[in-house]
Amino acid sequence: MSQARTALVLSGGGSLGAVQVGMLQALSRANLEVDLVVGASVGALNGAFYADDPTPAGTDRLAELWRGLRRKDVFPLTLWSGIKALLLGSDHLIEPTRLRRIVRNTLHHARFEDLPLPLHVVATNVLSGQAVMLSEGDVETALLASTAIPVVFPAVQLDGRYLVDGGVSTNTPIASAVELGAQRIIVLPTGMSCAMLEPPRNMAALALHVMGLQSMRQLDREVERYGGQVRITVVPPLCPLSASVFDFSQTAALIYRAAKQTYEWLGSGGLDSSGPLHVPLAHHHYRR
């Protein structure tokens, strides 16, 4: 009997992508055989770094990279950038210069075809709203498209299409993994800020937070929708979680917590589980 094709599917979630890094550290040490990686938004970034070096040493380097990140390294938003965009009539606030530098300085392989693991990056066609899967050519361009948060970053023009953040169309691209022939899907969600006491005050942070709420509900629905066709295992996200998707001050703690929790989950037979989690992916710890 042939072995089922296994796909790692990584969701978007801004700075909460640090949670996936801890998960990847644990999974890379579990002798898990992965056939392909599919990711959207920050999940595309983490997925690309994993596909570039799917080893414990590779995930440790990814963790080191994340621990050194600050918000200005990814989202260098300033009052001047907002005023400049307004005066120039621009459709975005900042250029992805720093994000491009991170990708260029981190990846060992520049093209999809050269990666040790097959990688598929999901972006969104800004005109049609359809998900676009990028699987060949320049990895850097695909990643900049998949992480192009509307209004924050510019759309990426590729093959006659205008592409933006993959999370707009499908934050957790389970459907794409099914389309690629995966028979077993392991989902790495970033989770959601289920213990925040008030909404983020920053405009971009609030927009990302709202997208995250929608995305977790979408993930719940997709697990139910495709669970009858393929085996879907969801690695439990952190809960409770108070960090916002725009907050990089808790990165080291998130990586540590996620790695520890995932090690424990693996030890209890987590990879043998399937279907929805006992705790809904979309929830909140209300304080009355």
Side-chain angles (χ1 to χ4, degrees), residues 15-84:
S15 63
L16 300 186
V19 173
Q20 291 174 337
V21 177
M23 293 174 175
L24 288 171
Q25 282 188 302
L27 290 172
S28 68
R29 290 168 168 80
N31 297 317
L32 175 67
E33 293 189 11
V34 175
D35 299 296
L36 62 150
V37 180
V38 187
S41 197
V42 73
L45 285 171
N46 284 332
F49 295 151
Y50 182 75
D52 185 64
D53 186 0
T55 66
T59 58
D60 287 347
R61 283 193 292 272
L62 177 58
E64 188 63 26
L65 168 67
W66 268 87
R67 281 192 287 265
L69 288 179
R70 298 296 179 264
R71 192 181 76 176
K72 65 180 181 180
D73 298 321
V74 183
F75 302 114
L77 292 168
T78 63
L79 177 61
W80 169 239
S81 65
I83 294 174
K84 182 179 177 181

Side-chain angles (χ1 to χ4, degrees), residues 57-131:
T59 58
D60 287 347
R61 283 193 292 272
L62 177 58
E64 188 63 26
L65 168 67
W66 268 87
R67 281 192 287 265
L69 288 179
R70 298 296 179 264
R71 192 181 76 176
K72 65 180 181 180
D73 298 321
V74 183
F75 302 114
L77 292 168
T78 63
L79 177 61
W80 169 239
S81 65
I83 294 174
K84 182 179 177 181
L86 183 64
L87 291 175
L88 296 178
S90 176
D91 62 356
H92 61 278
L93 294 172
I94 53 177
E95 296 293 331
T97 307
R98 299 189 184 187
L99 186 57
R100 179 185 291 111
R101 186 182 304 126
I102 290 172
V103 172
R104 192 167 293 176
N105 292 342
T106 303
L107 290 180
H108 298 100
H109 304 86
R111 297 184 63 81
F112 280 90
E113 294 82 357
D114 298 328
L115 292 168
L117 274 178
L119 171 70
H120 305 273
V121 170
V122 177
T124 302
N125 185 320
V126 76
L127 296 179
S128 69
Q130 293 179 317

Side-chain angles (χ1 to χ4, degrees), residues 25-251:
Q25 282 188 302
L27 290 172
S28 68
R29 290 168 168 80
N31 297 317
L32 175 67
E33 293 189 11
V34 175
D35 299 296
L36 62 150
V37 180
V38 187
S41 197
V42 73
L45 285 171
N46 284 332
F49 295 151
Y50 182 75
D52 185 64
D53 186 0
T55 66
T59 58
D60 287 347
R61 283 193 292 272
L62 177 58
E64 188 63 26
L65 168 67
W66 268 87
R67 281 192 287 265
L69 288 179
R70 298 296 179 264
R71 192 181 76 176
K72 65 180 181 180
D73 298 321
V74 183
F75 302 114
L77 292 168
T78 63
L79 177 61
W80 169 239
S81 65
I83 294 174
K84 182 179 177 181
L86 183 64
L87 291 175
L88 296 178
S90 176
D91 62 356
H92 61 278
L93 294 172
I94 53 177
E95 296 293 331
T97 307
R98 299 189 184 187
L99 186 57
R100 179 185 291 111
R101 186 182 304 126
I102 290 172
V103 172
R104 192 167 293 176
N105 292 342
T106 303
L107 290 180
H108 298 100
H109 304 86
R111 297 184 63 81
F112 280 90
E113 294 82 357
D114 298 328
L115 292 168
L117 274 178
L119 171 70
H120 305 273
V121 170
V122 177
T124 302
N125 185 320
V126 76
L127 296 179
S128 69
Q130 293 179 317
V132 176
M133 190 155 50
L134 306 172
S135 309
E136 57 185 25
D138 185 59
V139 177
E140 178 186 308
T141 301
L143 294 178
L144 292 180
S146 185
T147 56
I149 303 167
V151 180
V152 178
F153 293 121
V156 173
Q157 294 187 49
L158 183 63
D159 298 330
R161 298 170 295 192
Y162 293 86
L163 304 179
V164 295
D165 199 305
V168 174
S169 57
T170 174
N171 196 58
T172 309
I174 290 175
S176 298
V178 173
E179 180 183 337
L180 289 163
Q183 297 159 296
R184 183 187 185 196
I185 296 175
I186 300 173
V187 178
L188 277 62
T190 55
M192 58 175 287
S193 307
C194 59
M196 288 183 66
L197 299 181
E198 59 182 21
R201 298 184 181 278
N202 179 285
M203 181 176 63
L206 180 58
L208 284 175
H209 175 72
V210 172
M211 284 179 62
L213 296 178
Q214 179 185 14
S215 299
M216 289 301 101
R217 296 187 182 279
Q218 179 194 53
L219 176 53
D220 268 330
R221 291 193 297 268
E222 294 220 338
V223 171
E224 291 184 5
R225 177 182 178 183
Y226 291 103
Q229 301 178 38
V230 297
R231 180 181 167 191
I232 301 176
T233 298
V234 181
V235 181
L238 296 180
C239 178
L241 183 58
S242 60
S244 81
V245 295
F246 210 58
D247 178 11
F248 285 82
S249 67
Q250 301 185 43
T251 297

Side-chain angles (χ1 to χ4, degrees), residues 1-22:
M1 180 182 295
S2 61
Q3 188 176 10
R5 280 170 55 82
T6 299
L8 278 188
V9 173
L10 295 90
S11 67
S15 63
L16 300 186
V19 173
Q20 291 174 337
V21 177

